[in-house]
Amino acid sequence: MLEEVERWLIDRSWSVADRPLHGILAAKRASGQTVSVVLPALDEEATVGDIVAMIRHDLVLQVPLVDEIVVIDSGSTDNTAAAAAAAGATVVHRDAILPRIPAVPGKGEVLWRSLLVTRGDIVCFVDADLREFSSDFVTGIVGPLLTEPDVQLVKAMYDRPLGAAAGQGGRVTELMARPLLNMHWPQLAGFVQPLGGEYAARRSLLEQLPFPVGYGVELGMLVDALHLAGLDALAQVDVGVRKHRHQDGRALGRMAAAIYRTAQLRLARGHLIRPALTQFERAGDGFEPRTYSVDTEERPPMREIAEYQARRVA
């Protein structure tokens, strides 16, 4: 691990217990900042109402931390919208936001459009399929943005059980996202849950970022925020355990493909694909590196070459 990341893990990794609620509220009053909570939802009637109700009870009615709760319905065919509205959220259908640009399916599409129908200085995203939800998820990731002026984006970190097996959730994280980040963006190797759907950021940052429309949005946002704001502007907070509905293997494959493509686009833009290979040869008592260029140029099909076309005619 890079020395910079080791330092970051000390300076920018916290627990929800590090910031008592009264201190967060005092910082909010002093700064005058507002907080929006956004839940992207697609067929989540079983869970979205409970999440909204808890946030509203704990962080709107009991203490004035959250200024608005907005559920963006991504085309649900069940009673997601009704359940969210009954629990106290403002519900907006994805297609009603910016109708000039036709909406496409995808989580990132919904998060991007949510910026048009929220007003908070700080925007907090929470997935709508969480079970046994705690409002600590919100206070944990919003807290540093209110108390640390230099922090611009905060991700939640947590244990992710898979059924009864502790720590076995997050399969796409371990098999796709973590290797990609460690190899190509090692500054981000310290994030425990880089693909987690619970994170908060300053609007001033979010409005500068592109949003991949699908499952690549979390990785893309993290990489782009690193380049735009720097590692010290990013942080993570331990909020305990995250329980949610798990995808089947085929869905995970589609998710992994979207994440890989998101990474691929960013590597190409930043010219971070390194066309070289380092190998090692023994020299004396040790090994010496030898670096070789990797051929990347391709020739076109021969039938596109004028000279070859002329030969065929002759």
Side-chain angles (χ1 to χ4, degrees):
M1 184 176 287
L2 297 176
E3 184 176 329
E4 181 183 9
V5 177
E6 293 180 347
R7 177 194 54 76
W8 178 85
L9 282 169
I10 295 171
D11 295 341
R12 288 290 187 261
S13 293
W14 298 297
S15 165
V16 66
D18 291 336
R19 289 176 178 79
L21 187 54
H22 65 82
I24 296 173
L25 288 170
K28 183 177 189 289
R29 286 192 295 269
S31 68
Q33 295 180 90
T34 54
V35 177
S36 299
V37 174
V38 171
L39 286 81
L42 176 62
D43 294 332
E44 302 294 357
E45 68 170 309
T47 50
V48 67
D50 290 342
I51 297 171
V52 169
M54 180 163 290
I55 295 172
R56 185 168 183 271
H57 176 270
D58 292 357
L59 304 178
V60 177
L61 301 178
Q62 293 280 72
V63 298
L65 179 66
V66 171
D67 297 281
E68 62 177 351
I69 307 169
V70 179
V71 170
I72 310 294
D73 188 347
S74 188
S76 299
T77 58
D78 65 3
N79 292 317
T80 290
T90 299
V91 180
V92 185
H93 195 283
R94 173 199 63 196
D95 296 346
I97 307 169
L98 198 63
R100 177 179 62 84
I101 300 176
V104 298
K107 180 182 181 182
E109 176 85 353
V110 172
L111 300 184
W112 177 67
R113 289 175 184 264
S114 76
L115 297 181
L116 281 163
V117 293
T118 54
R119 61 181 184 273
D121 303 302
I122 294 169
V123 183
C124 172
F125 298 117
V126 176
D127 281 351
D129 66 341
L130 302 187
R131 295 182 287 108
E132 301 179 27
F133 177 78
S134 166
S135 56
D136 284 349
F137 275 70
V138 175
T139 57
I141 56 180
V142 167
L145 293 165
L146 291 169
T147 62
E148 306 289 335
D150 295 335
V151 172
Q152 296 196 45
L153 185 149
V154 183
K155 295 212 65 144
M157 57 177 166
Y158 32 65
D159 296 319
R160 294 185 66 180
L162 181 61
Q168 296 302 308
R171 291 161 288 172
V172 176
T173 292
E174 299 303 331
L175 296 175
M176 177 60 73
R178 200 177 307 286
L180 281 172
L181 292 176
N182 275 264
M183 288 188 288
H184 299 299
W185 296 281
Q187 286 178 294
L188 298 175
F191 276 93
V192 175
Q193 298 292 353
L195 300 185
E198 290 68 50
Y199 49 99
R202 300 190 191 281
R203 178 177 293 272
S204 57
L205 173 67
L206 293 172
E207 64 190 14
Q208 298 182 68
L209 299 178
F211 278 63
V213 298
Y215 286 121
V217 63
E218 274 84 26
L219 183 134
M221 191 178 295
L222 206 54
V223 170
D224 293 340
L226 172 68
H227 290 309
L228 188 63
L231 182 60
D232 282 341
L234 314 179
Q236 60 185 350
V237 174
D238 187 351
V239 297
V241 179
R242 182 186 197 265
K243 296 182 180 180
H244 65 111
R245 172 175 48 80
H246 291 283
Q247 304 277 3
D248 62 27
R250 291 177 184 270
L252 294 178
R254 294 189 293 272
M255 191 182 302
I259 289 163
Y260 178 78
R261 179 58 176 161
T262 298
Q264 186 183 50
L265 289 171
R266 278 151 181 77
L267 289 168
R269 288 175 194 159
H271 305 289
L272 297 176
I273 298 176
R274 180 173 175 256
L277 175 69
T278 299
Q279 297 176 321
F280 294 88
E281 296 178 6
R282 182 174 286 281
D285 295 331
F287 290 88
E288 289 186 0
R290 300 283 190 271
T291 300
Y292 304 89
S293 296
V294 175
D295 294 333
T296 57
E297 187 175 356
E298 294 185 16
R299 299 298 186 195
M302 185 58 73
R303 68 182 182 180
E304 297 178 12
I305 302 301
E307 290 85 345
Y308 189 77
Q309 293 174 358
R311 191 190 76 166
R312 291 181 65 186
V313 171

